[in-house]
Amino acid sequence: MNVNAIIEILIAVMVLAGTVLSLLSSLGFIRLPDVYTRAHAATKSVTLGILFILLGTFLYFWFVHGLISIRLLLGIVFVFLTAPVAGHLIIRSAYRSGVKLSDTSVKDELREDLKKATQLEKYHSREG
Amino acid sequence: MTLQILLNLVIGMVWMLLHDEWNMLTFTIGFLIGSIFIFALRRFFPGPFYGLKIWSIIKLLILFNVELVKSSLIVIGQITRPKLNIQPGIFKLETKLKSDWEIIMLTNLLALTPGSAVLEIAPQEGVMYIHAMDMAEFRHSIAKTKDLFEEAIIEVMR
Amino acid sequence: MLNNLMLLSMFLLSVSIVISLYRVIRGPSMPDRILALDSIGYSVIGIVAVLCILLDTHAYLETILLIGILAFLSTIALCKFIERGVVIERERDH
């Protein structure tokens, strides 16, 4: 067993782990009941899966070709930064456009607070 | 702190000039030597040594990665369970962070912690509304991790 | 061996794209579709990375950045659009 074989196994394990993570989270798209819970699956597991795949690719080019690819590192940082923002924006727009929570939900404190604040908001809009 | 980093860059450049070798390796060696000098002379600078700040950034990143792995495993565990029994819900959390950047960082971190996703932010009241995947299981752990993140962010930003 | 494993991983990623496509077509609401499109974008990034290993070239690595930026921007534009019908805001709101 030489070094190259070990590195190949490491790369294959990382890429396959990322693949399985993103496959399982897309399974979550079918099973979970509403947008908000699906967003959990999309933001967390997909991000981690893509990170694993890109890290495996980075290691491959580093060890096999001796090439430290800045582009891949930039891609990792970019995915890391943008995935949570996209998830937050999607569920915020879902809530604002009135998508209902699933029936199994137990509590909605935002709706209670908004009910209290509606009159205040109308007041402000008339003033300004 | 900006002064220290600038000074360190200048030391690296001067090291490269003195060696007359224009590559990254020489610059890195000069930069490391410069940081040792600045660390030795840290009493004479107005602020604390900037390496401490970098160390706290590294600590924040490690915390972030650990939480990301944990949360992915939890979500996968919920999905692959043969019968789904989750009770999602929205609850309110108060934060003591004030500026925009701090709140952005906290939101990004909370979006990747176990079972939580930030739904709406009201920065003036310092309130965040968080959608939890399972209210009974995660509500207290989310509040706990939020305190952890807040301390780490304050250490980095202030 | 590595080649076969990479082919397997590309196949699994394609399966996850098909599953997301089901959500795009079926999705009861618009945010569902946007979410599924977003995750299709990430799966495509993964496929390009695996393809780079498979073909043993680093010519396609720019594509990863490009697809990432396009997926993120389109997600944001669609979200803004269904939120209030304005894509670019002139004033910050609180």
Side-chain angles (χ1 to χ4, degrees), chain B residues 126-150:
Chain B
V127 172
M128 303 171 116
Y129 293 93
I130 290 177
H131 183 270
M133 193 146 173
D134 200 345
M135 285 289 275
E137 197 177 334
F138 291 132
R139 183 163 185 168
H140 296 289
S141 69
I142 289 172
K144 220 179 286 169
T145 37
K146 190 215 64 170
D147 289 341
L148 227 86
F149 282 148
E150 268 184 350

Side-chain angles (χ1 to χ4, degrees), chain A residues 8-9 11-12 15-16 18-20 22-23 26-27 29-32 34-35 38-40 42-43 46-47 50 53-54 56-57 60-61 64-65 67 69 71-72 74-75 78-79 81-87 89-90 92-94 96-97 99, chain C residues 1-2 5-6 8-10 12-13 15-17 19-20 22-23 27-32 34-36 38-39 42-43 45-47 49-50 52-53 56-62 64-65 68-69 72 75-76 78-80 82-84 89 93:
Chain A
E8 274 197 0
I9 289 172
I11 290 163
V15 171
L16 280 180
T19 311
V20 169
S22 53
L23 184 67
S26 69
L27 203 70
F29 279 166
I30 293 185
R31 295 200 62 198
L32 290 172
D34 65 345
V35 196
R38 276 176 215 140
H40 285 280
T43 49
V46 170
T47 314
I50 294 305
I53 293 177
L54 290 184
T57 317
Y60 178 80
F61 282 110
V64 178
H65 289 267
L67 176 90
S69 172
R71 278 169 251 151
L72 268 178
L74 264 181
F78 194 77
V79 170
L81 285 181
T82 57
V85 178
L89 259 177
I90 288 171
R92 195 182 76 169
S93 66
R96 284 191 182 172
S97 64
V99 177
Chain C
M1 187 191 105
L2 193 66
L5 283 177
M6 290 302 119
L8 173 70
S9 135
M10 273 177 88
L12 290 179
L13 281 170
V15 170
S16 83
I17 285 184
I19 294 175
S20 306
Y22 165 79
R23 191 45 79 187
S29 64
M30 274 310 274
D32 272 311
I34 299 173
L35 195 64
D38 193 45
S39 91
Y42 287 125
S43 301
I45 291 178
I47 283 185
V50 175
C52 280
I53 296 181
D56 202 12
T57 169
H58 56 268
Y60 300 134
L61 290 184
E62 278 98 348
I64 292 173
L65 272 177
I69 290 166
F72 179 60
T75 305
I76 284 189
L78 284 170
C79 282
K80 284 301 211 189
I82 66 168
E83 210 169 85
R84 61 174 67 168
E89 283 176 45
D93 59 338

Side-chain angles (χ1 to χ4, degrees), chain B residues 98-125:
Chain B
K98 283 281 175 283
S99 75
D100 281 356
W101 280 107
E102 290 168 0
I103 289 179
I104 287 173
M105 280 172 77
L106 184 64
T107 313
N108 263 0
L109 292 174
L110 274 182
L112 295 176
T113 49
S116 67
V118 180
L119 190 68
E120 188 87 52
I121 310 164
Q124 279 160 344
E125 293 91 28

